[in-house]
Amino acid sequence: MGSRRNFLEKLTISTISIPILYSPTKLFAASTAPYEGPILRVAIMGLGSYGTRVAKAMESCKRAKLVGLISGTPSKVVKWRAKYDIPEKNCYNYDNFDNIKDNPDIDAVYVITPNALHKEQTIRVAKAGKHVICEKPMGINAKEGQEMVDTCKAANVKLLVGYRMHYEPKTVEVIKMRKAGEFGKLKFFQGLSGFTIGDPTQWRLNKELSGGGAMMDIGIYSINGARYMLGEEPIWVTAQETKTDPIKFKEGVDETIQFQMGFPSGAVASCLSTYAMSHLDRFFLNGEKGFVEMRPSTGYGPIKGRTHKGELTQPHITHQTLQMDGMAQLIFEEVQPIVPVDGEEGVKDLKIIDAIYKAAKTGEKVSL
């Protein structure tokens, strides 16, 4: 299995072939010491609520800078240009953004649009020769995700997915503890991801734009969390869907899905993804030697958690700031986070989502 250092393992590099890991020392030092390295110049595509959050977080980045805008709403472009001092030549709409191929001032585009638009937009950005950061889920199914990966490879650009938790300090500390064997043989993971969704007309409840319902939006956190907390890939899934409001949650838009995953070691995961219940943001991991509980586990923070050894005390830093600085370092220096944030990682989650939907529909255990 970016955002999202007292949280990554330092690795002494002895040969050029060994991958570099993100250095926590260097990251925290970057907060106080002047940074003089390369800056990742980013255009944000999609100036909605999450795009706004990313842009604000990037104001604190040392290695990444917002330099361009892509939007279908001219009034938003005007407002953002004034706020972030974006030159007009770096602003595009959804019809003409292919022209970024001729703009040397933009290195990468962060695609933050409805799920069903990700594939086409990512492919267009890649063909324009720019690196792509795509918000999750990267597509509406694994087939789409793999097409995106293949296109970016052919274009010789990087495809990264907005896995901010892979850079979050408490999360990374837990992964380090697991890697060090501090929980012993792992037995069980529980992931609860959900909130009560509001406006019934929003794109998240439109299957043509979202590709599904709560699973695509919030359930993916428990899927990804199970994988990085257990350190394994699931080999089977089962799932059960519950729908109490078929008016709000139309055909193909899931309201609540309970799902289970089995892993090669014998560990199991029991998870809940819902748009109908609030206060659900909890991970729990149990092993023969210890445990970890994180609540909130994936919200914007601060993340809180405790293990059998006590409270997790790593500092809260805005997730998207860490993510964008981390991704800049990955693009320029091949410095990898403790859990990948590349397109292949995104495809793995989409394969599991495909299997969960199949299991919920058929009532059968689906092998992966």
Side-chain angles (χ1 to χ4, degrees):
M1 294 241 304
S3 317
R4 296 194 189 127
R5 135 225 202 5
N6 184 37
F7 66 80
L8 288 175
E9 301 172 72
K10 291 188 73 175
L11 184 67
T12 301
I13 305 304
S14 58
T15 71
I16 195 167
S17 64
I18 299 177
I20 304 170
L21 289 182
Y22 207 45
S23 166
T25 304
K26 289 182 180 178
L27 177 66
F28 285 128
S31 300
T32 55
Y35 172 69
E36 298 179 352
I39 301 296
L40 184 68
R41 299 166 299 175
V42 179
I44 289 181
M45 178 186 296
L47 310 184
S49 60
Y50 194 71
T52 300
R53 184 178 292 275
V54 171
K56 181 175 177 58
M58 287 183 68
E59 292 184 279
S60 301
C61 284
K62 302 298 183 183
R63 300 172 182 270
K65 178 178 174 60
L66 176 61
V67 301
L69 308 171
I70 303 171
S71 174
T73 308
S75 59
K76 288 184 179 180
V77 173
V78 171
K79 181 179 178 180
W80 281 54
R81 278 192 61 203
K83 182 172 183 176
Y84 294 106
D85 193 25
I86 307 294
E88 185 175 6
K89 67 181 181 65
N90 289 358
C91 298
Y92 302 87
N93 58 46
Y94 295 128
D95 294 323
N96 68 12
F97 74 80
D98 306 271
N99 294 333
I100 60 173
K101 68 179 183 299
D102 300 316
N103 191 333
D105 294 337
I106 296 174
D107 301 313
V109 175
Y110 196 158
V111 178
I112 311 177
T113 54
N115 307 334
L117 306 180
H118 290 175
K119 186 188 83 167
E120 179 195 358
Q121 292 169 341
T122 291
I123 288 173
R124 288 172 64 185
V125 171
K127 289 183 175 179
K130 306 299 181 181
H131 300 297
V132 185
I133 303 169
C134 183
E135 196 41 48
K136 61 189 177 306
M138 62 185 285
I140 62 171
N141 54 50
K143 182 178 182 293
E144 280 200 356
Q146 191 59 53
E147 288 182 52
M148 295 161 69
V149 169
D150 294 343
T151 300
C152 289
K153 283 185 177 178
N156 197 31
V157 299
K158 290 192 182 298
L159 171 57
L160 307 179
V161 183
Y163 288 116
R164 57 187 169 83
M165 301 312 297
H166 297 192
Y167 291 98
E168 194 282 313
K170 293 182 178 68
T171 300
V172 176
E173 176 63 21
V174 169
I175 296 169
K176 288 172 63 179
M177 291 178 68
R178 184 259 296 163
K179 282 175 170 278
E182 294 190 38
F183 303 114
K185 181 176 173 59
L186 300 175
K187 297 286 193 176
F188 175 74
F189 170 85
Q190 182 187 53
L192 304 178
S193 301
F195 64 92
T196 303
I197 200 163
D199 180 10
T201 66
Q202 64 179 280
W203 70 263
R204 288 177 179 83
L205 299 178
N206 179 344
K207 187 177 188 301
E208 297 303 311
L209 291 175
S210 65
M215 181 61 61
M216 302 295 290
D217 182 28
I218 192 74
I220 191 172
Y221 283 102
S222 284
I223 293 171
N224 195 252
R227 293 174 54 231
Y228 64 64
M229 295 281 270
L230 290 167
E232 294 187 272
E233 298 300 326
I235 56 176
W236 59 259
V237 302
T238 53
Q240 307 81 38
E241 180 175 4
T242 303
K243 186 171 291 191
T244 64
D245 188 347
I247 303 300
K248 188 173 187 178
F249 302 99
K250 296 178 174 58
E251 180 67 25
V253 178
D254 48 290
E255 174 186 331
T256 300
I257 294 181
Q258 298 176 73
F259 60 98
Q260 302 77 40
M261 296 182 282
F263 295 80
S265 67
V268 293
S270 177
C271 303
L272 176 68
S273 164
T274 184
Y275 270 159
M277 291 174 266
S278 294
H279 315 297
L280 291 178
D281 184 6
R282 177 181 184 265
F283 285 174
F284 178 77
L285 180 68
N286 185 268
E288 289 182 337
K289 294 182 180 178
F291 74 93
V292 57
E293 179 185 35
M294 305 182 78
R295 185 170 60 182
S297 56
T298 62
Y300 295 137
I303 300 302
K304 295 181 180 179
R306 63 190 181 95
T307 76
H308 58 288
K309 299 177 71 174
E311 295 291 322
L312 294 167
T313 59
Q314 288 69 29
H316 171 67
I317 302 173
T318 301
H319 299 174
Q320 294 81 4
T321 302
L322 294 178
Q323 172 196 332
M324 295 307 294
D325 270 343
M327 288 182 168
Q329 202 168 16
L330 190 161
I331 288 171
F332 289 128
E333 304 172 42
E334 292 292 339
V335 176
Q336 300 291 338
I338 197 167
V339 179
V341 293
D342 54 29
E344 287 83 356
E345 177 76 5
V347 172
K348 290 176 182 178
D349 279 341
L350 287 173
K351 286 180 177 178
I352 298 169
I353 289 177
D354 288 350
I356 289 170
Y357 279 138
K358 182 179 179 180
K361 183 176 182 179
T362 65
E364 298 175 353
K365 177 186 284 189
V366 176
S367 297
L368 290 161

